[in-house]
Amino acid sequence: MKHQVLIVDGYNMIGAWPNLIPFKKKDELEEAREALLKDLSEYAKFKGIEVIVVFDAQFVPGITQTYEQYKLQVVFTAKDETADTYIEALAKERMNVLTQVTVATSDLAEQWQIFSVGALRKSARELYKDVHREKKAIEKEAYQTQFQNYKRNVPWDETQLDSLQQLMENLQGKD
């Protein structure tokens, strides 16, 4: 199986994801970046893929750097370099027979450039849905793991336990 690399246009996601837009509107880009990185970190770990998040340095002047945070590679481009330019070069560099590169961006011009080097694209909306679908899967797996030891002694199946849980929550809400 090919090594999967997801390259994310960070500010493109911040401008499109419903949970991050409020941060952008309040000019709280640091908080938006942090929330994005946490979500992508969980997604990367659960999917077993490499994620590289690229931010334009125009919003954080003088910070040109690459570092690892939450087991993600985070890149702030050089002063006069756009994230699009960096992403195009990186996708071209990383794309090979053993590696499948996917770029997450809703920028149409960027998507055509990505296709030209053989990489796949994912829109901001698609990535948002994927991340939140995986988040639900993580929660479900955590729930199942939590009660794994109890299943031996309980005569009910998972559907019945869910119904009982929902009934308990309804009863507690009616107090």
Side-chain angles (χ1 to χ4, degrees), residues 7-15 20 29-38 40 52-60 63-67 69 72-79 81-84 86-87:
I7 304 172
V8 179
D9 184 339
Y11 288 126
N12 195 271
M13 299 305 117
I14 289 172
L20 302 178
L29 290 178
E30 179 62 35
E31 289 82 358
R33 285 190 298 267
E34 189 72 18
L36 176 65
L37 293 176
K38 285 182 180 179
L40 290 174
I52 303 166
V53 186
V54 181
F55 295 103
D56 287 309
Q58 67 186 31
F59 295 110
V60 189
I63 194 172
T64 304
Q65 62 179 321
T66 300
Y67 59 93
Q69 184 173 348
L72 304 173
Q73 184 178 348
V74 181
V75 177
F76 283 90
T77 62
K79 182 181 176 189
E81 182 180 31
T82 65
D84 292 351
Y86 185 91
I87 289 169

Side-chain angles (χ1 to χ4, degrees), residues 18 32 35 37 65 67 85 92 98 106 108 138 144:
L37 293 176
Q65 62 179 321
Y67 59 93
T85 305
K92 188 175 184 177
L98 300 175
S106 289
L108 192 56
I138 291 168
Q144 290 173 342

Side-chain angles (χ1 to χ4, degrees), residues 97-150:
V97 198
L98 300 175
T99 305
Q100 178 60 61
V101 175
T102 302
V103 175
T105 182
S106 289
D107 182 327
L108 192 56
E110 178 72 9
Q111 290 177 2
W112 283 108
Q113 289 295 324
I114 296 311
F115 286 140
S116 73
V117 297
L120 302 174
R121 69 105 185 127
K122 190 173 283 216
S123 72
R125 180 179 167 86
E126 288 172 315
L127 183 59
Y128 176 78
K129 285 182 173 183
D130 285 353
V131 166
H132 285 79
R133 185 178 322 113
E134 295 304 326
K135 195 176 262 197
K136 287 180 182 177
I138 291 168
E139 289 170 0
K140 183 176 181 179
E141 190 172 302
Y143 176 79
Q144 290 173 342
T145 302
Q146 179 183 5
F147 293 106
Q148 191 172 15
N149 293 333
Y150 300 118

Side-chain angles (χ1 to χ4, degrees), residues 11-25:
Y11 288 126
N12 195 271
M13 299 305 117
I14 289 172
W17 286 18
N19 62 320
L20 302 178
I21 291 173
F23 291 117
K24 184 179 180 183
K25 287 182 179 177

